């Protein structure tokens, strides 16, 4: 069994508000009686993509468990690499595979620099295919990236969703070991399906999306930050529990 925490959209911008909300969630996770196997952060770590924002993120996200991340549309690859990952500040896609408690977790770069919408480009799709093919057949896998590949029925996230999602769906048809797809970007905890698998959208730290039936103003800044707990069991069944942190 693999136990994962999942947060998204911290939008750290140097403000006390952003840092306080992210720190509350991390304090909660660090104080759990049983630690999670890893924390997934599905993008928009920084608000402006500046090195100082990633340096702050690295401090806030320090934990006794692995922290796995992928970029979002607000992130800037060179600064993200240099100040958050400690790597050379290159411009190419940031794709990483992690092996956590018997599960392969592919953190994928779906960003299009300068755009809100996402796309898994040819290089990233080839990396996903190669990575999954190399896994032992009995190894379960999860795929995580920023922009959801389906409509969520709100004009804001639906105007910046993953483009050409059929490319990923076709790839997943050949890889039944992929148990679920995990994303962020929408600022709302949500669950759907994609390519005959669970699609789980992690809640945002910075603010929560109001759906059309909840009011006209999209950003609810009074809602507390949220997180998800994912349990992947021996049958490759994913169960998700959502929490808010007061």
């Amino acid at each position: 069994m693999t136990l994962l925490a999942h947060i998204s959209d911290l939008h750290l911008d140097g403000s006390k508000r952003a840092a306080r909300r992210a720190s509350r969630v991390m304090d909660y996770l660090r104080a759990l009686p049983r630690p999670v196997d890893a924390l997934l952060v599905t993008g928009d770590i920084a608000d402006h993509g500046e090195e100082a924002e990633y340096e702050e993120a690295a401090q806030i996200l320090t934990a006794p468990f692995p922290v796995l991340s992928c970029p979002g549309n607000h992130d800037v690859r060179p600064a993200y690499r240099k100040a958050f990952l400690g790597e050379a500040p290159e411009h190419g896609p940031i794709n990483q595979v992690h092996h956590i408690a018997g599960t392969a977790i592919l953190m994928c770069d779906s960003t299009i620099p300068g755009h809100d919408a996402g796309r898994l480009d040819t290089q990233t799709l080839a990396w996903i295919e190669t990575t999954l093919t190399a896994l032992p057949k009995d190894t379960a896998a999860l795929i995580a990236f920023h922009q959801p590949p389906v409509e969520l029925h709100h004009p804001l996230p639906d105007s910046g969703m993953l483009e050409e999602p059929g490319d990923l769906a076709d790839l997943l048809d050949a890889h039944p070991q992929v148990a679920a797809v995990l994303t962020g970007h929408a600022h709302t905890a949500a669950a759907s399906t994609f390519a005959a698998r669970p699609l789980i959208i992690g809640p945002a730290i910075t603010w929560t999306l109001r759906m059309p039936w909840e009011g006209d103003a999209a950003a609810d800044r009074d809602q507390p930050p949220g997180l998800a707990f994912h349990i992947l069991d021996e049958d490759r069944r994913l169960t998700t529990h959502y929490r808010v942190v007061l």
Side-chain angles (χ1 to χ4, degrees):
M1 186 177 76
T2 307
L3 173 62
L4 304 169
H6 177 190
I7 61 175
S8 197
D9 297 86
L10 285 67
H11 289 269
L12 292 169
D13 58 2
S15 70
K16 292 182 180 179
R17 177 187 181 276
R20 183 169 59 248
R21 289 173 70 89
S23 295
R24 277 159 52 190
V25 172
M26 292 306 298
D27 288 344
Y28 174 83
L29 289 173
R30 286 190 288 258
L32 290 172
R34 174 193 164 184
V36 297
D37 293 314
L39 168 65
L40 277 58
V41 187
T42 49
D44 281 359
I45 295 169
D47 195 49
H48 306 100
E50 297 176 356
E51 287 188 19
E53 294 170 338
Y54 295 114
E55 290 168 355
E56 181 179 44
Q59 293 180 346
I60 291 174
L61 294 173
T62 299
F65 41 78
V67 177
L68 322 181
S69 66
C70 61
N73 55 292
H74 278 252
D75 292 309
V76 175
R77 289 170 178 169
Y80 179 110
R81 276 195 163 99
K82 179 181 178 182
F84 189 65
L85 299 181
E87 300 177 355
E90 299 175 354
H91 288 269
I94 301 170
N95 300 310
Q96 298 178 314
V97 60
H98 307 269
H99 296 274
I100 302 293
T103 299
I105 303 174
L106 283 68
M107 304 297 295
C108 308
D109 190 338
S110 62
T111 63
I112 306 172
H115 297 270
D116 290 338
R119 184 184 304 119
L120 298 169
D121 64 15
T122 301
Q123 179 180 342
T124 296
L125 287 169
W127 175 82
I128 294 172
E129 172 68 30
T130 299
T131 302
L132 292 176
T133 300
L135 295 176
K137 294 300 182 183
D138 59 349
T139 299
L142 297 170
I143 291 184
F145 48 88
H146 187 60
Q147 290 91 346
V150 302
E151 291 184 351
L152 298 179
H153 308 290
H154 190 289
L156 185 59
D158 290 349
S159 67
M161 57 185 287
L162 188 78
E163 297 177 351
E164 301 178 16
D167 292 341
L168 178 61
D170 291 343
L171 187 157
L172 294 181
D173 284 344
H175 296 283
Q177 72 267 46
V178 177
V181 175
L182 311 174
T183 71
H185 188 55
H187 287 239
T188 179
S192 187
T193 58
F194 175 74
R197 292 166 171 81
L199 167 65
I200 306 297
I201 295 91
I205 299 298
T206 182
W207 53 261
T208 298
L209 181 72
R210 283 192 185 94
M211 298 304 290
W213 54 87
E214 294 180 301
D216 293 330
D220 185 346
R221 299 183 182 274
D222 294 326
Q223 284 284 338
L227 70 146
F229 290 112
H230 303 305
I231 303 165
L232 186 64
D233 65 22
E234 292 79 2
D235 295 325
R236 298 183 185 172
R237 179 184 296 110
L238 188 78
T239 302
T240 298
H241 301 269
Y242 289 108
R243 292 290 181 270
V244 296
V245 181
L246 299 174

